[in-house]
């Protein structure tokens, strides 16, 4: 039995790659490919069982609202998640107990491993800063991956009994020390020619450790998207992070 999959944001950088990946997968069937201006009713009319949502922080909530309330499982990589947004989708899912929703800040295995390694290192180093580097068309900063990485690092530090980092800066220009994500400075670079890159820099007496990941092509996200599609139909509720579908 093939799974019928729709892609929302099908003309975008990652969405267009996802369309090709779904079409090439023997166990999946492309039910619909929605772009801006498409009607969400196409999802139900096409019999889509899973929607892969890859659009924009301004669009994702409307798309998820429609899918959850029409019995369509969702895999989304769209960014811009806040606690308030997560609480809203949890509320929708409470009325749809059989439905699965995966929100994946990053679909690439290397990026997920980078986050995992950073969680481990976080226990052992006094200082940590995150630098994320992306293409020049990105809407959100810091990236979803960097935000999640910083949150995981902060939680690991707290669990290990490490106090929040002290910043000695007394004189600075606004933004010079990056965004503060749970006490971890996160710096965002936007540069034509880049795709998606992140380095997590740890420091302690006389040594540093840098954990760097580079996505060089959108194909890096496809195995994760396909895994998400296959797993989400058998995993009711909200799953935040593809690592939960991996044996890490
Ligand atoms: N989790 C992960 O691993 C990854 C996540 N992303 C995230 O995915 C999202 C998309 O990124 P990217 O492909 O680079 O962005 P693009 O702008 O290239 O693509 C987004 C596409 O979605 C379309 N779109 C916007 N709103 C809607 C809507 N309501 N219905 C249908 N289509 C819509 C856009 O149309 P238009 O151009 O007309 O606005 C555009 O074609 C971002 O949030 C990005 O951060 C990206 C890569 C990896
Ligand atoms: O916009 C992108 O390109 C990406 N967005 C995601 C993020 O914000 O973390 C994932 C990856 O970094 C590519």
């Amino acid at each position: 039995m093939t799974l019928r999959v729709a892609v929302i944001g099908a003309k975008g950088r990652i969405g267009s790659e996802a369309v090709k990946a779904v079409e090439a997968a023997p166990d999946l069937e492309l039910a619909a490919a929605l772009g801006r201006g498409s009607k969400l009713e196409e999802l139900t009319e096409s019999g889509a069982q899973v929607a892969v949502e890859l659009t924009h922080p301004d669009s994702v909530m409307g798309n998820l609202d429609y899918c959850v309330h029409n019995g369509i499982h969702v895999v989304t990589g769209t960014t811009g998640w806040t606690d308030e947004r997560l609480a809203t989708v949890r509320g929708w899912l409470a009325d749809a107990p059989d439905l699965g929703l995966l929100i994946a800040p990053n679909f690439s295995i290397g990026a997920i491993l980078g986050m995992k390694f950073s969680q481990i290192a976080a226990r052992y180093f006094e200082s940590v800063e995150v630098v994320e580097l992306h293409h020049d068309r990105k809407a959100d900063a810091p990236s979803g991956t960097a935000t999640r990485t910083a949150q995981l690092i902060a939680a690991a530090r707290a669990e290990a009994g490490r106090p929040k980092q002290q910043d000695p800066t007394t004189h600075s220009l606004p933004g010079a020390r990056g965004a503060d994500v749970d006490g971890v400075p996160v710096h965002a670079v936007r540069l034509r020619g880049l795709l998606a890159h992140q380095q997590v820099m740890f420091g302690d007496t006389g040594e540093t450790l840098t954990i760097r990941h580079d996505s060089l092509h959108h194909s890096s996200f496809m195995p994760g998207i396909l895994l998400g599609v296959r797993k989400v139909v058998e995993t009711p509720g909200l799953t935040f992070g593809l690592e939960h579908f991996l044996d890490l």
Side-chain angles (χ1 to χ4, degrees):
M1 263 276 282
T2 56
L3 260 182
R4 291 182 64 73
V5 181
V7 177
I8 314 177
K11 293 194 173 135
R13 279 176 289 268
I14 184 169
S16 54
E17 199 70 29
V19 166
K20 287 188 269 175
V22 169
E23 284 177 326
D27 57 330
L28 308 179
E29 195 180 336
L30 186 70
L34 277 65
R36 190 183 284 283
S38 299
K39 288 196 165 43
L40 287 170
E41 288 72 18
E42 279 184 44
L43 296 170
T44 30
E45 286 162 9
S46 67
Q49 295 161 282
V50 185
V52 176
E53 205 282 346
L54 302 161
T55 61
H56 189 280
D58 291 343
S59 303
V60 61
M61 293 302 278
N63 292 335
L64 265 51
D65 187 354
Y66 183 89
C67 290
V68 172
H69 290 108
N70 285 278
I72 300 167
H73 304 279
V74 185
V75 170
T76 183
T78 303
T79 44
W81 290 98
T82 59
D83 289 345
E84 292 72 25
R85 284 184 168 209
L86 289 173
T88 301
V89 296
R90 279 199 183 92
W92 295 338
L93 286 167
D95 299 329
D98 297 331
L99 212 66
L101 166 58
L102 168 66
I103 300 173
N106 203 304
F107 289 111
S108 100
I109 182 72
I112 293 165
L113 286 173
M115 287 190 249
K116 186 80 183 169
F117 299 155
S118 298
Q119 268 181 287
I120 296 170
R123 307 172 63 84
Y124 302 102
F125 286 84
E126 179 66 31
S127 309
V128 55
E129 307 227 350
V130 178
V131 184
E132 56 96 333
L133 311 91
H134 279 82
H135 58 88
D136 61 341
R137 309 295 297 277
K138 188 163 175 58
D140 56 306
S143 71
T145 308
T147 303
R148 180 71 176 149
T149 305
Q151 289 167 343
L152 292 172
I153 288 170
R157 284 176 66 96
E159 199 179 307
R162 284 199 169 271
K164 284 205 169 182
Q165 298 184 93
Q166 296 300 311
D167 188 341
T169 311
T170 52
H171 296 68
S172 68
L173 291 176
R177 295 289 294 120
D180 179 335
V181 179
D182 293 354
V184 178
V186 182
H187 309 270
V189 176
R190 298 291 174 263
L191 209 65
R192 185 170 293 248
L194 295 180
L195 201 168
H197 318 260
Q198 172 163 295
Q199 58 188 47
V200 184
M201 303 167 73
F202 294 94
D204 213 311
T205 311
E207 63 175 329
T208 66
L209 169 69
T210 300
I211 297 170
R212 178 168 174 122
H213 175 258
D214 298 276
S215 266
L216 306 172
H217 190 270
H218 281 96
S219 52
S220 61
F221 304 115
M222 296 307 125
I225 289 182
L226 298 184
L227 175 70
V229 166
R230 291 171 184 131
K231 289 275 192 187
V232 78
V233 294
E234 57 191 45
T235 314
L238 173 63
T239 302
F240 193 90
L242 189 70
E243 61 273 20
H244 299 291
F245 289 170
L246 294 164
D247 190 20
L248 289 182

